[in-house]
Amino acid sequence: MKKIVRFIARFKYGRFLLMKLFKTDLWRKRRIKKYLSNAQEPKLQIGCGGNHLEGWLNTGITFVETRAGIYLDAGKPFPFPDGSFDYVFSEHLFEHLTYPQAMNMLKESYRVLKPGGVMRIATPNLRFLMSLYQEPEKPLHKEYIKYTAKNGGLPPTVVFVINRFHTAWGHQIVYDKETLSNLLLETGYKDLCWCEVSQSKHSALMDVEGHFKSGFPAEFNQLETMIVEATKR
């Protein structure tokens, strides 16, 4: 099947036709059934980008994401039975969702987790932007401002960098720990635990982040990112 998909994708409208196929309920149901039937410890990644994790059901809305997994819009009902997964993971997706979409993702993830299952979210921290503005001369901050301004074709000043962060890449909401904690607790999650990139007390959630593996410097990813793990009651 992978060879067939690659062959069709070579043609002018191949990806367009394949995406039509990937979005069908029949295609998704077959892949979901196969995955859940074979996985001893089912794990769901929402918005995988190019970070296709081995042993996970990788999902997203682009061709790159769905050809190796299934099509999944985080802002709509998930096509999984209740209590299907031991783990749910999302990296640098949450900030791209509107508030209603974000709440849908939290609620649907809670629904499809097994009791005691864990959700891990990696997303930018608003406090990082505030610190960047207040202390732009810190060595790491200076390097970050220079790097991101150059990539955005902007003057290397903190004001331009912060404004680009809020408006580029389709960002909708940048959270701080308190706000994200409140949303998780309101949804029903418990035992919130804040983690460093690639670190977790759960072996299944170790080294799952891939944002810094795509060419973005690891030290800048660490600077930007906050990670929380929350458990289903």
Side-chain angles (χ1 to χ4, degrees):
M1 180 58 71
K2 290 182 180 179
K3 290 183 178 179
I4 295 174
V5 168
R6 284 197 296 267
F7 177 76
I8 296 174
R10 293 167 52 192
F11 294 95
K12 184 175 181 181
Y13 297 107
R15 291 195 176 195
F16 173 78
L17 294 174
L18 285 169
M19 282 302 297
K20 289 285 189 180
L21 172 64
F22 295 161
K23 289 182 180 181
T24 62
D25 287 340
L26 178 61
W27 177 271
R28 293 202 299 173
K29 286 178 180 178
R30 289 181 62 182
R31 285 208 163 186
I32 292 167
K33 183 179 180 180
K34 180 179 179 180
Y35 175 80
L36 293 178
S37 297
N38 295 329
Q40 294 183 346
E41 190 178 61
K43 302 179 286 287
L44 172 66
Q45 182 180 190
I46 306 172
C48 67
N51 184 29
H52 297 164
L53 296 173
E54 187 70 27
W56 290 68
L57 181 58
N58 298 293
T59 73
I61 60 173
T62 68
F63 177 77
V64 171
E65 293 170 315
T66 54
R67 68 179 177 181
I70 69 160
Y71 180 89
L72 179 68
D73 186 335
K76 296 181 179 179
F78 292 1
F80 312 115
D82 295 356
S84 296
F85 296 93
D86 292 285
Y87 299 98
V88 175
F89 167 58
S90 174
E91 180 188 18
H92 283 268
L93 166 72
F94 202 64
E95 67 274 15
H96 294 266
L97 304 178
T98 63
Y99 174 71
Q101 290 172 332
M103 291 308 299
N104 179 82
M105 177 178 147
L106 294 183
K107 292 175 181 178
E108 282 293 276
S109 296
Y110 189 90
R111 179 184 65 79
V112 303
L113 276 169
K114 298 176 183 178
V118 177
M119 181 175 194
R120 180 180 175 98
I121 298 176
T123 189
N125 188 348
L126 183 61
R127 291 284 179 182
F128 133 75
L129 291 175
M130 295 172 66
S131 178
L132 198 69
Y133 182 77
Q134 293 168 347
E135 301 176 288
E137 295 302 315
K138 287 182 65 174
L140 182 58
H141 289 179
K142 287 179 70 174
E143 288 300 313
Y144 179 89
I145 291 167
K146 180 180 177 181
Y147 176 88
T148 53
K150 181 179 179 180
N151 283 353
L154 297 169
T157 70
V158 67
V159 170
F160 282 111
V161 167
I162 290 175
N163 275 280
R164 180 172 185 255
F165 197 92
H166 277 291
T167 58
W169 309 294
H171 287 173
Q172 298 292 320
I173 303 173
V174 181
Y175 296 86
D176 62 7
K177 286 185 177 181
E178 181 181 7
T179 305
L180 183 53
S181 294
N182 288 338
L183 295 184
L184 288 163
L185 294 172
E186 289 170 7
T187 306
Y189 294 91
K190 65 174 184 176
D191 299 335
L192 273 56
C193 177
W194 296 93
C195 310
E196 296 296 322
V197 174
S198 300
Q199 300 300 310
S200 175
K201 63 182 180 181
H202 304 279
S203 59
L205 296 174
M206 291 283 289
D207 298 315
V208 290
E209 278 79 38
H211 190 59
F212 64 95
K213 298 175 184 176
S214 59
F216 188 60
E219 63 272 25
F220 295 161
N221 183 63
Q222 184 75 44
L223 179 67
E224 286 184 354
T225 307
M226 62 178 179
I227 299 175
V228 62
E229 292 180 353
T231 303
K232 180 175 178 176
R233 295 180 182 275

